[in-house]
Amino acid sequence: MSFGHASARFRRPSAGEPCPCGGGAFGDCCGPILDGTPAPTAERLMRSRYTAFAVGDEPHLRRSWHPRSRPETLDLDAATTWTGLEVHRSAEDVDAATVSFTARWRQGGERGALSETSRFVRRGGRWVYNDGDVEER
């Protein structure tokens, strides 16, 4: 799936609205992390990255991606609507973590799911996404 091009379709939820990741109110869930507060766990960072894809927050995606594995360009696809997130498992130690999840999406009349086991590391005291094994369905 291509990320495509961003447009005005993206809208950041207000603090009291549900967070796209399903973890509660946006202002208590992913909102502060998208604003720069360090994620307390790798799972919370992964949830914030899902939310960033859903709301078109490219700056958060870039700063939360390890510079060695971050793509040079990242264009978000405004035609893709992220419709749900399910976390299957999360394992974390001091400096490394994995999070397995399925993210559901819709684009026009097509629906799909992307399953990934993501790997995270601590860098400068903050969790960052390193890479993952993806299975798109």
Side-chain angles (χ1 to χ4, degrees):
M1 173 179 18
S2 162
F3 291 129
H5 298 289
S7 81
R9 185 199 62 80
F10 292 116
R11 184 186 72 77
R12 185 180 172 112
S14 67
E17 288 183 274
C19 190
C21 83
F26 181 72
D28 296 327
C29 191
C30 292
I33 299 170
L34 268 61
D35 288 338
T37 299
T41 66
E43 180 179 334
R44 289 285 307 276
L45 180 64
M46 186 281 304
R47 288 178 170 280
S48 76
R49 288 176 54 79
Y50 169 87
T51 295
F53 276 106
V55 304
D57 190 335
E58 182 180 338
H60 176 67
L61 291 168
R62 293 192 60 71
R63 79 175 161 264
S64 65
W65 208 318
H66 197 291
R68 285 191 209 134
S69 58
R70 179 176 54 220
E72 198 168 304
T73 61
L74 179 65
D75 294 319
L76 302 179
D77 189 346
T80 300
T81 301
W82 294 95
T83 60
L85 175 67
E86 180 182 355
V87 176
H88 305 296
R89 88 181 145 3
S90 180
E92 187 174 304
D93 65 25
V94 175
D95 290 322
T98 58
V99 181
S100 296
F101 66 92
T102 299
R104 302 200 183 293
W105 56 269
R106 180 180 70 238
Q107 188 173 41
E110 187 179 353
R111 294 178 187 276
L114 180 139
S115 294
E116 179 172 334
T117 297
S118 297
R119 287 178 287 275
F120 297 85
V121 295
R122 278 199 200 267
R123 185 169 193 271
R126 297 174 74 109
W127 287 109
V128 293
Y129 171 77
N130 191 46
D131 60 12
D133 298 320
V134 176
E135 176 190 330
E136 192 171 346
R137 300 183 271 148

Coordinates of all heavy atoms in Angstrom, one line a residue, residues 11-97:
R11 N -7.7 15.5 9.9 CA -8.2 16.4 10.9 C -7.8 15.8 12.3 O -8.0 14.6 12.6 CB -9.7 16.5 10.9 CG -10.3 17.5 11.9 CD -11.8 17.4 11.9 NE -12.3 16.2 12.5 CZ -12.4 16.0 13.9 NH1 -11.9 16.9 14.7 NH2 -12.9 14.9 14.3
R12 N -7.2 16.6 13.1 CA -6.7 16.2 14.4 C -7.9 16.3 15.4 O -8.7 17.3 15.4 CB -5.6 17.2 14.9 CG -5.0 16.8 16.2 CD -4.0 17.9 16.6 NE -3.5 17.7 17.9 CZ -2.3 17.2 18.2 NH1 -1.4 17.0 17.3 NH2 -2.0 17.1 19.5
P13 N -8.2 15.2 16.1 CA -9.3 15.3 17.1 C -9.1 16.3 18.2 O -8.0 16.7 18.5 CB -9.4 13.9 17.7 CG -8.5 13.0 16.8 CD -7.5 14.0 16.2
S14 N -10.2 16.8 18.7 CA -10.1 17.7 19.9 C -9.8 16.8 21.1 O -9.9 15.6 21.1 CB -11.4 18.4 20.1 OG -12.5 17.5 20.5
A15 N -9.4 17.4 22.2 CA -9.0 16.7 23.4 C -10.0 15.7 23.9 O -9.7 14.6 24.3 CB -8.6 17.7 24.5
G16 N -11.3 16.0 23.8 CA -12.3 15.2 24.4 C -12.8 14.1 23.4 O -13.6 13.2 23.8
E17 N -12.5 14.2 22.2 CA -12.9 13.2 21.2 C -12.2 11.9 21.4 O -11.1 11.9 21.9 CB -12.7 13.7 19.8 CG -13.6 14.8 19.3 CD -13.4 15.2 17.9 OE1 -12.5 16.1 17.7 OE2 -14.0 14.6 17.0
P18 N -12.8 10.8 20.9 CA -12.1 9.5 21.0 C -10.8 9.5 20.2 O -10.7 10.1 19.1 CB -13.1 8.5 20.4 CG -14.4 9.2 20.4 CD -14.1 10.6 20.3
C19 N -9.8 8.9 20.8 CA -8.5 8.8 20.1 C -8.6 7.7 19.0 O -9.2 6.7 19.2 CB -7.4 8.4 21.1 SG -5.7 8.5 20.4
P20 N -8.0 8.0 17.8 CA -8.1 7.0 16.7 C -7.6 5.6 17.1 O -8.0 4.6 16.6 CB -7.2 7.6 15.6 CG -7.4 9.1 15.8 CD -7.4 9.2 17.3
C21 N -6.6 5.5 18.1 CA -6.0 4.3 18.5 C -7.0 3.4 19.4 O -6.7 2.3 19.6 CB -4.7 4.4 19.2 SG -4.8 4.8 20.9
G22 N -8.1 4.0 19.8 CA -9.0 3.3 20.7 C -8.7 3.3 22.2 O -9.3 2.6 23.0
G23 N -7.7 4.2 22.6 CA -7.2 4.1 23.9 C -7.9 5.2 24.9 O -7.3 5.4 25.9
G24 N -9.0 5.8 24.5 CA -9.6 6.8 25.4 C -9.7 8.1 24.7 O -9.7 8.2 23.4
A25 N -9.8 9.2 25.4 CA -10.0 10.5 24.9 C -8.6 10.9 24.3 O -7.5 10.7 24.9 CB -10.4 11.5 25.9
F26 N -8.6 11.6 23.1 CA -7.4 12.0 22.4 C -6.5 12.8 23.4 O -5.3 12.6 23.4 CB -7.8 12.8 21.2 CG -6.6 13.2 20.4 CD1 -5.8 12.3 19.7 CD2 -6.2 14.6 20.4 CE1 -4.7 12.7 18.9 CE2 -5.1 15.0 19.6 CZ -4.4 14.1 18.9
G27 N -7.0 13.7 24.1 CA -6.2 14.6 25.0 C -5.5 13.8 26.1 O -4.6 14.3 26.7
D28 N -6.0 12.6 26.5 CA -5.4 11.8 27.5 C -4.7 10.7 27.0 O -4.0 9.9 27.7 CB -6.5 11.3 28.5 CG -7.3 12.3 29.2 OD1 -6.7 13.4 29.5 OD2 -8.5 12.1 29.5
C29 N -4.7 10.4 25.7 CA -4.1 9.3 25.1 C -3.0 9.7 24.2 O -1.9 10.0 24.7 CB -5.2 8.5 24.3 SG -4.7 6.9 23.7
C30 N -3.2 9.8 22.9 CA -2.1 10.1 21.9 C -1.8 11.6 21.7 O -0.7 11.9 21.3 CB -2.4 9.4 20.6 SG -2.3 7.6 20.7
G31 N -2.7 12.4 22.1 CA -2.5 13.8 21.9 C -1.3 14.4 22.4 O -0.5 15.0 21.7
P32 N -1.0 14.1 23.7 CA 0.3 14.7 24.3 C 1.5 14.1 23.6 O 2.5 14.8 23.5 CB 0.2 14.2 25.8 CG -1.3 14.1 26.0 CD -1.9 13.6 24.8
I33 N 1.5 12.8 23.2 CA 2.6 12.2 22.6 C 2.9 12.8 21.2 O 4.0 13.2 20.9 CB 2.5 10.7 22.5 CG1 2.4 10.1 24.0 CG2 3.7 10.1 21.8 CD1 2.0 8.7 24.0
L34 N 1.8 13.1 20.5 CA 1.9 13.8 19.2 C 2.5 15.2 19.4 O 3.2 15.7 18.5 CB 0.6 13.8 18.4 CG 0.4 12.6 17.5 CD1 0.3 11.3 18.2 CD2 -0.9 12.9 16.7
D35 N 2.2 15.8 20.6 CA 2.7 17.1 20.9 C 4.1 17.1 21.4 O 4.7 18.2 21.6 CB 1.8 17.8 21.9 CG 0.4 18.2 21.3 OD1 0.3 18.4 20.1 OD2 -0.5 18.4 22.1
G36 N 4.7 16.0 21.6 CA 6.1 15.9 22.0 C 6.4 15.3 23.3 O 7.6 15.1 23.6
T37 N 5.4 15.0 24.1 CA 5.7 14.3 25.4 C 6.2 12.9 25.1 O 5.6 12.2 24.2 CB 4.4 14.2 26.2 OG1 3.9 15.5 26.5 CG2 4.6 13.4 27.5
P38 N 7.3 12.5 25.7 CA 7.8 11.1 25.4 C 6.8 10.0 25.8 O 6.1 10.1 26.8 CB 9.0 11.0 26.4 CG 9.4 12.4 26.6 CD 8.1 13.2 26.7
A39 N 6.7 9.0 24.9 CA 5.8 7.9 25.2 C 6.4 7.1 26.3 O 7.6 6.8 26.3 CB 5.7 7.0 23.9
P40 N 5.6 6.8 27.3 CA 6.1 6.0 28.5 C 6.5 4.6 28.1 O 7.3 3.9 28.8 CB 5.0 6.1 29.5 CG 3.8 6.3 28.7 CD 4.2 7.1 27.5
T41 N 5.9 4.0 27.1 CA 6.1 2.6 26.7 C 6.2 2.6 25.2 O 5.7 3.4 24.5 CB 5.0 1.6 27.2 OG1 3.8 2.0 26.5 CG2 4.8 1.7 28.7
A42 N 6.8 1.5 24.7 CA 6.8 1.3 23.2 C 5.4 1.1 22.7 O 5.1 1.6 21.6 CB 7.7 0.1 22.9
E43 N 4.5 0.4 23.4 CA 3.2 0.3 22.9 C 2.5 1.6 22.8 O 1.8 1.8 21.8 CB 2.4 -0.6 23.8 CG 0.9 -0.8 23.3 CD 0.0 -1.7 24.2 OE1 0.6 -2.6 24.9 OE2 -1.2 -1.5 24.1
R44 N 2.7 2.5 23.7 CA 2.1 3.8 23.6 C 2.6 4.6 22.4 O 1.9 5.3 21.7 CB 2.3 4.6 24.9 CG 1.5 4.1 26.1 CD 0.0 4.5 26.0 NE -0.3 5.9 25.8 CZ -0.3 6.8 26.8 NH1 -0.1 6.5 28.0 NH2 -0.6 8.1 26.5
L45 N 3.9 4.4 22.1 CA 4.5 5.0 20.9 C 3.9 4.4 19.7 O 3.5 5.2 18.8 CB 6.0 4.9 20.9 CG 6.6 5.6 19.7 CD1 6.4 7.1 19.7 CD2 8.1 5.2 19.6
M46 N 3.7 3.1 19.6 CA 3.1 2.5 18.5 C 1.7 3.0 18.3 O 1.3 3.3 17.2 CB 3.1 1.0 18.6 CG 2.6 0.2 17.4 SD 0.8 0.1 17.2 CE 0.3 -0.6 18.7
R47 N 0.9 3.1 19.4 CA -0.4 3.7 19.3 C -0.4 5.1 18.7 O -1.2 5.5 17.9 CB -1.1 3.6 20.6 CG -1.5 2.2 21.0 CD -2.2 2.2 22.4 NE -2.8 0.9 22.7 CZ -3.9 0.5 22.3 NH1 -4.7 1.2 21.5 NH2 -4.4 -0.8 22.5
S48 N 0.5 5.9 19.2 CA 0.6 7.3 18.7 C 1.0 7.3 17.2 O 0.6 8.2 16.5 CB 1.6 8.1 19.6 OG 2.9 7.8 19.3
R49 N 1.8 6.4 16.8 CA 2.2 6.3 15.4 C 1.0 6.0 14.5 O 0.8 6.5 13.4 CB 3.4 5.4 15.2 CG 4.7 6.0 15.7 CD 5.8 5.1 15.6 NE 6.0 4.6 14.2 CZ 6.6 5.3 13.3 NH1 7.1 6.5 13.5 NH2 6.8 4.8 12.1
Y50 N 0.2 5.0 15.0 CA -1.1 4.7 14.3 C -2.0 5.9 14.2 O -2.5 6.3 13.1 CB -1.8 3.6 15.0 CG -3.2 3.4 14.5 CD1 -3.5 2.5 13.4 CD2 -4.3 4.0 15.1 CE1 -4.8 2.4 12.9 CE2 -5.6 3.9 14.6 CZ -5.8 3.1 13.5 OH -7.1 2.9 13.0
T51 N -2.1 6.6 15.3 CA -2.9 7.9 15.3 C -2.3 8.9 14.4 O -3.1 9.6 13.7 CB -3.0 8.4 16.8 OG1 -3.7 7.4 17.5 CG2 -3.7 9.7 16.8
A52 N -1.0 9.0 14.3 CA -0.4 10.0 13.4 C -0.7 9.6 12.0 O -1.0 10.5 11.2 CB 1.1 10.0 13.6
F53 N -0.7 8.4 11.6 CA -1.1 8.0 10.2 C -2.6 8.4 10.0 O -2.9 8.9 9.0 CB -0.9 6.5 10.0 CG 0.5 6.1 9.6 CD1 1.3 5.5 10.5 CD2 0.9 6.4 8.3 CE1 2.6 5.1 10.1 CE2 2.2 6.0 7.9 CZ 3.0 5.4 8.8
A54 N -3.4 8.2 11.0 CA -4.9 8.4 10.9 C -5.1 9.9 10.8 O -6.1 10.3 10.0 CB -5.6 7.9 12.1
V55 N -4.4 10.8 11.4 CA -4.6 12.2 11.4 C -3.7 13.0 10.5 O -3.8 14.2 10.5 CB -4.7 12.8 12.8 CG1 -5.7 12.1 13.7 CG2 -3.3 12.8 13.5
G56 N -2.7 12.3 9.9 CA -1.8 13.0 9.0 C -0.7 13.8 9.6 O -0.2 14.8 9.1
D57 N -0.2 13.3 10.8 CA 0.8 14.0 11.5 C 2.2 13.5 11.1 O 2.8 12.7 11.8 CB 0.6 13.8 13.0 CG 1.5 14.7 13.9 OD1 2.6 15.1 13.4 OD2 1.1 15.0 15.0
E58 N 2.7 13.9 9.9 CA 4.0 13.5 9.4 C 5.1 13.8 10.3 O 6.0 13.0 10.5 CB 4.2 14.0 8.0 CG 5.5 13.5 7.4 CD 5.7 14.1 6.0 OE1 4.8 14.4 5.3 OE2 6.9 14.1 5.6
P59 N 5.1 15.0 10.9 CA 6.3 15.4 11.8 C 6.4 14.4 13.0 O 7.6 14.0 13.3 CB 5.9 16.8 12.3 CG 5.1 17.4 11.2 CD 4.3 16.2 10.7
H60 N 5.3 13.9 13.6 CA 5.4 12.9 14.7 C 6.0 11.6 14.1 O 6.9 11.0 14.8 CB 4.1 12.7 15.3 CG 4.2 11.6 16.4 ND1 4.9 11.7 17.5 CD2 3.6 10.3 16.4 CE1 4.8 10.6 18.2 NE2 4.0 9.8 17.6
L61 N 5.6 11.2 13.0 CA 6.1 10.0 12.4 C 7.6 10.1 12.2 O 8.3 9.1 12.5 CB 5.3 9.6 11.1 CG 3.9 9.2 11.3 CD1 3.2 9.2 10.0 CD2 3.8 7.9 12.0
R62 N 8.0 11.2 11.6 CA 9.4 11.3 11.3 C 10.3 11.4 12.6 O 11.3 10.7 12.7 CB 9.7 12.6 10.5 CG 9.1 12.4 9.1 CD 9.5 13.5 8.1 NE 11.0 13.6 8.0 CZ 11.7 12.6 7.3 NH1 11.1 11.6 6.7 NH2 13.0 12.8 7.1
R63 N 9.8 12.1 13.6 CA 10.7 12.2 14.8 C 10.6 11.0 15.7 O 11.5 10.7 16.5 CB 10.3 13.5 15.6 CG 9.1 13.4 16.5 CD 8.9 14.7 17.3 NE 7.5 14.8 17.7 CZ 6.6 15.4 17.1 NH1 6.9 16.2 16.0 NH2 5.4 15.4 17.5
S64 N 9.6 10.1 15.5 CA 9.5 8.9 16.3 C 10.1 7.7 15.6 O 9.9 6.5 16.0 CB 8.0 8.6 16.7 OG 7.2 8.4 15.6
W65 N 10.7 7.9 14.4 CA 11.3 6.8 13.6 C 12.8 6.9 13.7 O 13.4 8.0 13.6 CB 10.9 7.1 12.2 CG 10.8 5.9 11.3 CD1 11.7 4.8 11.2 CD2 9.8 5.7 10.3 NE1 11.3 4.0 10.2 CE2 10.1 4.4 9.7 CE3 8.7 6.4 9.9 CZ2 9.3 3.9 8.6 CZ3 7.9 5.8 8.9 CH2 8.2 4.6 8.3
H66 N 13.5 5.8 14.0 CA 14.9 5.8 14.1 C 15.5 6.4 12.9 O 15.2 6.0 11.7 CB 15.4 4.4 14.4 CG 16.8 4.4 14.9 ND1 17.9 4.7 14.2 CD2 17.3 4.1 16.2 CE1 19.0 4.6 14.9 NE2 18.7 4.2 16.1
P67 N 16.5 7.3 13.0 CA 17.1 7.9 11.7 C 17.7 6.9 10.8 O 17.8 7.2 9.6 CB 18.1 8.9 12.3 CG 18.2 8.7 13.7 CD 17.0 7.9 14.2
R68 N 18.2 5.8 11.3 CA 18.9 4.8 10.4 C 17.9 4.1 9.6 O 18.2 3.5 8.5 CB 19.7 3.8 11.3 CG 21.0 4.4 11.8 CD 21.9 3.3 12.3 NE 22.7 4.0 13.4 CZ 22.9 3.5 14.6 NH1 22.4 2.3 14.9 NH2 23.6 4.2 15.4
S69 N 16.6 4.0 10.0 CA 15.6 3.2 9.2 C 14.5 4.1 8.7 O 13.7 3.6 7.9 CB 15.0 2.1 10.1 OG 14.4 2.6 11.2
R70 N 14.5 5.3 9.0 CA 13.5 6.3 8.5 C 13.6 6.5 7.0 O 14.7 6.8 6.5 CB 13.6 7.6 9.3 CG 12.6 8.6 8.9 CD 12.7 9.9 9.8 NE 14.0 10.4 9.8 CZ 14.6 10.9 10.9 NH1 14.0 10.9 12.0 NH2 15.9 11.4 10.8
P71 N 12.5 6.4 6.3 CA 12.6 6.7 4.8 C 12.9 8.2 4.6 O 12.6 9.0 5.5 CB 11.2 6.4 4.3 CG 10.3 6.3 5.5 CD 11.2 6.1 6.7
E72 N 13.5 8.5 3.5 CA 13.9 9.8 3.2 C 12.7 10.7 3.0 O 12.7 11.9 3.4 CB 14.7 9.9 1.9 CG 15.5 11.1 1.7 CD 16.5 11.0 0.6 OE1 17.4 10.1 0.7 OE2 16.4 11.8 -0.3
T73 N 11.6 10.2 2.4 CA 10.4 10.9 2.3 C 9.2 10.1 2.8 O 9.3 8.9 2.8 CB 10.1 11.3 0.8 OG1 10.0 10.1 0.0 CG2 11.2 12.2 0.2
L74 N 8.2 10.8 3.2 CA 7.0 10.1 3.8 C 5.8 10.9 3.3 O 5.6 12.0 3.8 CB 7.1 10.0 5.3 CG 5.9 9.4 6.0 CD1 5.9 7.9 5.6 CD2 6.1 9.5 7.5
D75 N 5.0 10.4 2.4 CA 3.8 11.0 2.0 C 2.6 10.2 2.5 O 2.5 9.1 2.1 CB 3.8 11.1 0.4 CG 4.9 12.0 -0.1 OD1 5.1 13.1 0.5 OD2 5.5 11.6 -1.1
L76 N 1.8 10.9 3.3 CA 0.6 10.2 3.8 C -0.5 10.2 2.8 O -0.7 11.2 2.1 CB 0.2 10.8 5.1 CG 1.3 10.9 6.2 CD1 0.7 11.5 7.4 CD2 1.7 9.5 6.5
D77 N -1.3 9.2 2.7 CA -2.4 9.0 1.8 C -3.7 9.5 2.4 O -4.3 8.8 3.2 CB -2.5 7.5 1.3 CG -3.4 7.3 0.2 OD1 -4.2 8.2 -0.1 OD2 -3.3 6.2 -0.4
A78 N -4.2 10.6 2.0 CA -5.4 11.2 2.5 C -6.6 10.3 2.0 O -7.7 10.4 2.6 CB -5.6 12.6 2.0
A79 N -6.5 9.5 1.0 CA -7.6 8.7 0.6 C -7.8 7.4 1.5 O -8.8 6.7 1.4 CB -7.4 8.2 -0.9
T80 N -6.8 7.1 2.3 CA -6.9 6.0 3.2 C -7.4 6.4 4.5 O -6.9 7.4 5.1 CB -5.5 5.3 3.4 OG1 -5.0 4.9 2.1 CG2 -5.6 4.1 4.3
T81 N -8.4 5.7 5.0 CA -9.0 6.0 6.3 C -8.6 4.8 7.2 O -8.9 3.7 6.9 CB -10.5 6.1 6.3 OG1 -10.9 7.2 5.4 CG2 -11.1 6.4 7.6
W82 N -8.0 5.1 8.3 CA -7.6 4.0 9.3 C -8.8 3.8 10.2 O -9.3 4.8 10.8 CB -6.3 4.4 10.0 CG -5.2 4.5 9.1 CD1 -4.7 5.6 8.4 CD2 -4.4 3.4 8.6 NE1 -3.6 5.2 7.6 CE2 -3.4 3.9 7.7 CE3 -4.4 2.0 8.9 CZ2 -2.5 3.0 7.1 CZ3 -3.5 1.2 8.3 CH2 -2.5 1.7 7.4
T83 N -9.3 2.6 10.2 CA -10.6 2.3 10.9 C -10.5 1.6 12.2 O -11.6 1.4 12.8 CB -11.5 1.6 9.9 OG1 -10.9 0.3 9.5 CG2 -11.8 2.4 8.7
G84 N -9.4 1.1 12.6 CA -9.3 0.4 13.9 C -7.9 -0.2 14.1 O -7.2 -0.5 13.2
L85 N -7.6 -0.3 15.4 CA -6.3 -0.9 15.8 C -6.6 -1.9 16.9 O -7.3 -1.7 17.8 CB -5.4 0.3 16.4 CG -4.1 -0.2 17.0 CD1 -3.2 -0.7 15.9 CD2 -3.5 1.0 17.7
E86 N -5.9 -3.0 16.7 CA -5.9 -4.1 17.7 C -4.5 -4.5 18.0 O -3.7 -4.9 17.2 CB -6.7 -5.3 17.1 CG -6.8 -6.5 18.1 CD -7.4 -7.7 17.5 OE1 -8.0 -7.6 16.4 OE2 -7.5 -8.7 18.2
V87 N -4.1 -4.3 19.3 CA -2.8 -4.7 19.8 C -2.9 -6.2 20.2 O -3.7 -6.5 21.1 CB -2.3 -3.8 20.9 CG1 -1.0 -4.3 21.4 CG2 -2.2 -2.4 20.4
H88 N -2.1 -7.0 19.7 CA -2.1 -8.5 20.0 C -1.1 -8.8 21.2 O -1.5 -9.5 22.1 CB -1.7 -9.3 18.8 CG -2.5 -9.1 17.6 ND1 -3.9 -9.3 17.6 CD2 -2.2 -8.5 16.4 CE1 -4.4 -9.0 16.4 NE2 -3.4 -8.5 15.7
R89 N 0.0 -8.2 21.2 CA 1.0 -8.4 22.3 C 2.1 -7.4 22.2 O 2.4 -6.8 21.2 CB 1.5 -9.8 22.3 CG 2.7 -10.2 21.5 CD 3.1 -11.6 21.6 NE 3.7 -12.3 20.5 CZ 4.0 -11.8 19.3 NH1 3.8 -10.6 19.0 NH2 4.6 -12.6 18.4
S90 N 2.6 -7.2 23.4 CA 3.7 -6.2 23.6 C 4.7 -6.8 24.6 O 4.3 -7.3 25.6 CB 3.1 -4.9 24.1 OG 4.1 -3.9 24.3
A91 N 6.0 -6.7 24.3 CA 7.0 -7.1 25.1 C 8.1 -6.1 25.2 O 8.5 -5.5 24.1 CB 7.6 -8.4 24.6
E92 N 8.5 -5.7 26.4 CA 9.5 -4.6 26.5 C 10.5 -4.9 27.6 O 10.2 -5.5 28.6 CB 8.7 -3.4 27.0 CG 9.4 -2.1 27.0 CD 8.4 -1.0 27.3 OE1 7.4 -0.8 26.5 OE2 8.7 -0.2 28.3
D93 N 11.8 -4.6 27.3 CA 12.8 -4.6 28.3 C 13.3 -3.2 28.4 O 12.7 -2.2 28.0 CB 13.9 -5.7 28.1 CG 14.7 -5.5 26.9 OD1 14.9 -4.3 26.4 OD2 15.3 -6.5 26.4
V94 N 14.5 -3.0 29.0 CA 15.0 -1.7 29.3 C 15.2 -0.8 28.0 O 14.8 0.3 27.9 CB 16.3 -1.7 30.1 CG1 16.9 -0.3 30.2 CG2 16.1 -2.4 31.4
D95 N 15.8 -1.4 27.0 CA 16.1 -0.6 25.8 C 15.6 -1.2 24.4 O 15.9 -0.6 23.4 CB 17.7 -0.5 25.6 CG 18.2 0.4 26.7 OD1 17.6 1.4 27.0 OD2 19.3 0.1 27.2
A96 N 14.8 -2.2 24.5 CA 14.2 -2.8 23.2 C 12.8 -3.3 23.5 O 12.5 -3.7 24.6 CB 15.1 -3.9 22.7
A97 N 12.0 -3.3 22.5 CA 10.6 -3.8 22.7 C 10.1 -4.2 21.3 O 10.6 -3.8 20.3 CB 9.7 -2.6 23.2

